[in-house]
Amino acid sequence: MSIVSRHRSSRSCGVSLLAAALLAVPFTAHATEGALGRQVTGTSVQPNAGIVSPEPVWAVNFAEIYLDGKVGGGRDVPLGKRVSADVEGKVAFTLATLLKTWDTGPGRWNFASSVTLPYVWTKVNARASGPLGRSTGESDTASNLFDLYFSPIIAGYHFSETSHMALSLNVWAPTGKYDANALANPSLNNWTFIPQVAYTHIFPQSGLQLDTVASVQFYTRNNDTDYRNAPIFGIDVMGRKTFSNGLAVGLVLGTQQQLGSDSGPTADRLNGFKGRDWALGTVITYDRKLADKRSLSLGLRWVPTISSTNRLDSSSTFMASATLVF
């Protein structure tokens, strides 16, 4: 009997939660143009991130991410065609993800696909420099469908019953509305390609579980502003203690590190606007088996920024999610 088939029944509830894990590859917003990029630090990793179910299942995930941050100290930030200082941004993402795992039979490899429809509300306050050195405050709000996110193929590999890996190439398409003269936009106006590797290790005797997601974001040029974000390396790590009643509590540590300098006239003016940040917070999850092999998983986390350069610094980053597997 194969590794996967032997462990199939015991993992039918939690293993299929890859839908939530892939979301966070979606968890995005506008260092980078707009001072945030495609991923919100600390939200990319989910329970069972490295596990693709060996059974053909559907999974639906709904998630909400709220971020309230700023880039202070008078530092300039590229926002569309302008440069603004003391930027404060509030962002709320509502994401709906549909994931399908394919019937590839028992074995070490299993495959899935997913698509995410995101909606965003964002408000931006900033200070713009005017004539004679004067500065004026500006504010802008936008709400609409955000850029579409999809993962054509997710390949999962089972090293053992307790050790799993998932490989994927994730794509953001510039489908949202964009105005280069606006402070707030429901789109980044570029294609973004994100190769990702996720890993899960389960420690059955202690009830501990480790999940890790690492990725690199590759951005195309924003043709309306001639701005191109440099690649960004991101990694989130989550450790949880699980209990027999379905509850689990743990910590999340994450970082986004820009691998080079941005390019374009505005980026050159800001010396490349290279950014990085770190976030550390807590997470609580709950898993419950339902009738007919269905399962429900809930999650809530708080992942405040502990260090930031040229990215939004937020003490109010929250994420809530619910996943139904059937």
Side-chain angles (χ1 to χ4, degrees), residues 13-322:
C13 175
V15 166
S16 302
L17 297 185
L18 183 61
L22 295 174
L23 251 178
V25 188
F27 284 143
T28 102
H30 297 297
T32 51
E33 189 176 17
L36 189 54
R38 286 293 186 186
Q39 295 182 355
V40 178
T41 307
T43 65
S44 294
V45 63
Q46 301 296 322
N48 307 304
I51 306 174
V52 176
S53 172
E55 297 182 357
V57 299
W58 289 90
V60 177
N61 178 282
F62 295 97
E64 184 75 22
I65 299 177
Y66 177 78
L67 170 73
D68 185 350
K70 63 180 180 180
V71 179
R75 284 175 292 174
D76 289 331
V77 173
L79 294 172
K81 290 184 177 180
R82 69 186 74 187
V83 172
S84 301
D86 295 326
V87 171
E88 297 179 359
K90 296 181 180 180
V91 185
F93 284 101
T94 303
L95 304 111
T97 294
L98 179 65
L99 177 140
K100 168 66 176 176
T101 60
W102 303 105
D103 188 1
T104 51
R108 291 187 180 272
W109 286 100
N110 296 107
F111 300 90
S113 303
S114 74
V115 61
T116 297
L117 183 66
Y119 188 92
V120 64
W121 172 89
T122 178
K123 181 178 181 180
V124 178
N125 298 317
R127 179 174 56 83
S129 299
L132 303 177
R134 297 175 181 176
S135 62
T136 58
E138 297 180 296
S139 181
D140 192 16
T141 302
S143 59
N144 212 319
L145 290 175
F146 192 63
D147 295 339
L148 186 68
Y149 174 85
F150 57 95
S151 304
I153 290 293
I154 305 136
Y157 185 78
H158 310 282
F159 296 102
S160 68
E161 295 181 2
T162 58
S163 182
H164 313 269
M165 177 182 67
L167 306 172
S168 60
L169 175 62
N170 312 289
V171 181
W172 286 93
T175 57
K177 293 183 178 180
Y178 183 80
D179 180 357
N181 296 309
L183 285 178
N185 268 298
S187 173
L188 295 194
N189 201 41
N190 59 46
W191 288 84
T192 310
F193 302 93
I194 307 178
Q196 174 180 286
V197 57
Y199 178 75
T200 293
H201 193 89
I202 302 168
F203 303 87
Q205 294 183 345
S206 62
L208 296 176
Q209 181 168 325
L210 178 69
D211 294 283
T212 303
V213 172
S215 65
V216 181
Q217 306 162 46
F218 295 95
Y219 296 81
T220 63
R221 187 175 299 276
N222 181 340
N223 293 326
D224 289 354
T225 62
D226 198 24
Y227 196 104
R228 182 161 189 169
N229 302 316
I232 299 176
F233 170 76
I235 185 169
D236 285 351
V237 180
M238 177 170 63
R240 294 180 303 140
K241 167 66 175 178
T242 60
F243 301 95
S244 58
N245 61 359
L247 283 174
V249 295
L251 296 174
V252 178
L253 174 67
T255 184
Q256 298 285 310
Q257 300 283 331
Q258 199 157 353
L259 301 180
S261 297
D262 296 342
S263 60
T266 304
D268 295 342
R269 175 181 167 187
L270 300 178
N271 298 316
F273 200 63
K274 188 175 181 180
R276 62 183 182 274
D277 65 4
W278 289 86
L280 175 65
T282 58
V283 60
I284 181 169
T285 62
Y286 176 71
D287 295 328
R288 181 178 178 84
K289 292 183 179 180
L290 304 176
D292 301 325
K293 296 185 179 181
R294 291 176 295 172
S295 65
L296 175 67
S297 296
L298 306 174
L300 182 65
R301 73 182 66 185
W302 170 58
V303 280
T305 305
I306 57 176
S307 176
S308 179
T309 300
N310 289 338
R311 290 177 65 88
L312 292 179
D313 190 329
S314 170
S315 61
S316 302
T317 301
F318 299 95
M319 174 182 165
S321 64

